[in-house]
Amino acid sequence: LSDLQLPEGTVLEWKVTTNYTDELNFIWKDSILHPSSQKENVFSYATTVREDNNYKMWFKNNTSNYADSLTYNIAVIKDRTPDLQVIQKVDSVLGQQVVLAGQVSDDHGIARLDFVYEVVNAQQQVQKTIKVDLPINNKLLAPINYYFDAGGIQLKEGEFLRYYIQACDNDA
């Protein structure tokens, strides 16, 4: 256990192994977290880190009533949203084939990259959504190259297609 510096959105889990401890109160943001699991002398706690915080652990057994405690600090490194740079080239004859090219980057890493298209009706309601997982080789900076052929999608009168690239980072 120690002070930590973590990216915003990190899921943090503590597994504290103790001896001669009946209870372990974990104070997070002025609230007591209850163990997500407790087996014999192991207490487990989990939370998602969004802002700087101090946390404290109070130990109790049959001879002491929360006499010992430990306090630590977590400093959060703020997370920027992913940066997408995409250009599109549309087929000049029928306008149904599109090539999307560019790159995506993120300060703490891309967790997921999708091409998304939606069928939208005349009332602007989404009728159907399809997501296509795009490969990511480098989590911090990745190229985008995707070919989309809308010619095979059957649209009813008044419907249209909306499409975009969606990037999710580490805290999505």
Side-chain angles (χ1 to χ4, degrees):
L1 297 172
S2 66
D3 291 343
L4 300 170
Q5 188 175 29
L6 301 168
E8 182 180 15
T10 300
V11 176
L12 192 54
E13 183 178 7
W14 292 268
K15 290 187 180 190
V16 183
T17 303
T18 63
N19 287 319
Y20 311 109
T21 302
D22 300 323
E23 285 184 39
L24 171 57
N25 278 342
F26 197 94
I27 315 261
W28 178 266
K29 291 186 184 177
D30 300 323
S31 299
I32 296 175
L33 290 181
H34 299 287
S36 55
S37 69
Q38 180 181 350
K39 295 180 182 174
E40 296 180 19
N41 60 343
V42 178
F43 297 83
S44 297
Y45 300 87
T47 192
T48 301
V49 178
R50 300 255 179 239
E51 59 190 5
D52 293 352
N53 189 41
N54 291 321
Y55 66 94
K56 183 179 278 193
M57 291 183 284
W58 292 88
F59 302 88
K60 177 182 176 184
N61 64 21
N62 59 2
T63 61
S64 70
N65 191 14
Y66 302 115
D68 291 331
S69 70
L70 300 169
T71 302
Y72 298 102
N73 183 40
I74 294 177
V76 172
I77 303 165
K78 287 298 179 185
D79 189 12
R80 295 188 327 253
T81 57
D83 181 40
L84 280 165
Q85 298 174 1
V86 179
I87 59 170
Q88 69 174 353
K89 298 288 184 179
V90 179
D91 172 41
S92 61
V93 177
L94 297 174
Q96 295 183 335
Q97 289 83 28
V98 177
V99 174
L100 299 169
Q103 69 178 19
V104 60
S105 61
D106 187 67
D107 54 346
H108 297 295
I110 302 296
R112 186 177 173 90
L113 185 64
D114 295 312
F115 172 77
V116 182
Y117 75 86
E118 301 170 330
V119 175
V120 182
N121 68 16
Q123 293 77 35
Q124 302 295 313
Q125 296 169 324
V126 175
Q127 301 299 299
K128 179 180 181 180
T129 301
I130 302 293
K131 287 186 178 187
V132 178
D133 186 33
L134 301 179
I136 308 169
N137 294 331
N138 181 331
K139 297 283 186 184
L140 297 177
L141 177 66
I144 297 170
N145 293 297
Y146 188 71
Y147 170 78
F148 175 59
D149 185 356
I153 299 171
Q154 302 297 318
L155 297 175
K156 297 175 187 164
E157 188 174 332
E159 291 182 333
F160 64 93
L161 281 179
R162 177 171 45 210
Y163 58 88
Y164 51 93
I165 301 287
Q166 181 179 54
C168 299
D169 62 2
N170 64 304
D171 64 342

